[in-house]
């Protein structure tokens, strides 16, 4: 694969030249589109637009969704299934019934009791991937 960066333009334009648009190429295209995607959320009555690249994970507690960034927690009006559909191609994956992780922010994985996985995020926060979602998480990360 050849990557070339040419400076001196007024806007950013990416072109992918390939023999055939495979599934991996389509995923890359989706990832590039979602890289600049922002999520609308609130904190203390103020609405914020957070880059998806800054999100560690999403969690649902008592029918309310929350976005966790490195040092802040925000409320969302979206349901987890909506977030999952919107960001699945951008590196986000369901890790428990009430949790979606940003796979790009995972620092380490450790097997836990009963087939669960302890996930340590960048910044040190530890989460549990349930047994039900552990296999798909490992597959997504290319771990056997």
């Amino acid at each position: 694969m050849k990557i070339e960066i040419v400076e001196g333009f007024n806007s950013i334009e990416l072109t992918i030249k390939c023999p055939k648009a495979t599934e991996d190429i389509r995923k890359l295209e989706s990832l590039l589109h979602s890289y600049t995607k922002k999520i609308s959320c609130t904190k203390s009555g103020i609405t914020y637009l957070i880059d998806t690249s800054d999100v560690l994970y999403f969690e649902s507690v008592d029918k309310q969704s929350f976005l966790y960034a490195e040092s802040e927690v925000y409320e969302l009006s979206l349901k987890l299934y909506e977030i999952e559909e919107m960001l699945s191609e951008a590196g986000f994956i369901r890790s428990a019934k009430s949790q979606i992780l940003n796979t790009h922010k995972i620092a380490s994985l450790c097997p836990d009791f009963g087939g669960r996985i302890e996930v340590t995020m960048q910044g040190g926060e530890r989460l549990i991937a349930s047994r039900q979602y552990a296999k798909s998480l490992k597959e997504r990360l290319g771990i056997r």
Side-chain angles (χ1 to χ4, degrees):
M1 175 181 352
K2 177 183 169 187
I3 298 175
E4 180 180 3
I5 298 174
V6 181
E7 296 180 6
F9 292 89
N10 293 331
S11 64
I12 298 172
E13 179 182 316
L14 296 172
T15 303
I16 299 174
K17 296 179 181 179
C18 56
K20 183 179 178 187
T22 63
E23 183 179 337
D24 287 340
I25 297 295
R26 295 289 179 208
K27 285 181 182 178
L28 179 59
E29 176 189 26
S30 178
L31 179 62
L32 290 169
H33 280 295
S34 66
Y35 183 75
T36 57
K37 190 174 212 94
K38 295 186 181 287
I39 302 275
S40 174
C41 51
T42 61
K43 182 177 181 177
S44 302
I46 301 170
T47 300
Y48 295 90
L49 295 174
I50 306 297
D51 288 330
T52 56
S53 60
D54 293 331
V55 175
L56 292 174
Y57 65 99
F58 297 95
E59 186 174 46
S60 178
V61 178
D62 295 330
K63 298 185 180 181
Q64 178 62 46
S65 298
F66 296 93
L67 178 157
Y68 292 81
E70 191 109 5
S71 60
E72 300 289 334
V73 179
Y74 303 91
E75 290 184 43
L76 291 161
S77 60
L78 298 169
K79 303 288 184 202
L80 280 187
Y81 76 88
E82 295 171 317
I83 296 166
E84 185 177 26
E85 288 173 2
M86 185 171 62
L87 298 175
S88 66
E89 295 296 323
F92 288 82
I93 187 169
R94 179 84 62 150
S95 59
K97 184 177 178 182
S98 61
Q99 184 175 276
I100 297 173
L101 299 179
N102 183 348
T103 60
H104 301 295
K105 298 288 185 173
I106 294 175
S108 66
L109 302 172
C110 181
D112 199 19
F113 297 109
R116 301 180 315 172
I117 299 173
E118 182 180 283
V119 181
T120 303
M121 304 301 288
Q122 292 175 2
E125 188 158 0
R126 290 192 165 109
L127 306 169
I128 297 294
S130 72
R131 180 174 48 112
Q132 179 181 357
Y133 296 97
K135 182 179 178 184
S136 61
L137 176 62
K138 291 194 304 191
E139 285 175 358
R140 183 80 167 268
L141 296 172
I143 299 169
R144 294 182 184 218

